Amino acid sequence: QVQLVESGGGLVQAGGSLRLSCAASGRIWSINDMGWYRQAPGKQRELVATITKGGRSNYADSMKGRFTISRDNTKNTAYLQMNSLKPEDTAVYYCKSWGVAAVYWGQGTQVTVSS
């Protein structure tokens, strides 16, 4: 089992920044890729970005330029730096990990951007 715990969410004004963290524990040796998804009220969960164990990142087209995913394998933690936040970025942000024949999700962290 892998446990993922997100932190860093909160309320921010439009134009502001937040950095989310996702700390992994448990069978961390089994984790390959990690990523961030988000789900706004009334909408489906959508991909934000993913990152491989080696640090190669991939972004949803709409997230490119303002969001940066990173990872510190020594701390078993993935990060999502979010800049120039907009009200439409308001959502619950979830961390996800892919491992050997298993996928895990965190419980999510709320990000609210006020106009």
Side-chain angles (χ1 to χ4, degrees):
Q1 288 273 354
V2 170
Q3 294 78 41
L4 302 172
V5 178
E6 301 99 332
S7 61
L11 174 64
V12 63
Q13 288 188 333
S17 298
L18 282 175
R19 188 174 85 148
L20 306 183
S21 299
C22 172
S25 61
R27 302 178 70 181
I28 55 175
W29 56 267
S30 68
I31 298 174
N32 293 321
D33 296 356
M34 297 183 74
W36 289 94
Y37 285 69
R38 70 183 187 184
Q39 187 166 18
K43 295 188 177 181
Q44 289 189 332
R45 193 171 296 188
E46 62 176 347
L47 170 70
V48 176
T50 61
I51 188 166
T52 67
K53 204 169 190 175
R56 187 172 71 248
S57 58
N58 179 64
Y59 296 88
D61 287 342
S62 61
M63 312 296 173
K64 291 178 181 178
R66 296 188 299 121
F67 292 2
T68 303
I69 190 171
S70 61
R71 181 171 177 173
D72 186 339
N73 291 329
T74 65
K75 297 182 179 179
N76 306 310
T77 301
Y79 304 94
L80 183 68
Q81 177 68 43
M82 305 186 293
N83 299 326
S84 302
L85 284 163
K86 305 174 182 179
E88 50 264 43
D89 294 318
T90 295
V92 178
Y93 284 71
Y94 295 92
C95 181
K96 182 178 180 180
S97 73
W98 290 262
V100 179
V103 173
Y104 297 94
W105 290 92
Q107 82 289 349
T109 185
Q110 176 70 47
V111 171
T112 303
V113 184
S114 63
S115 57

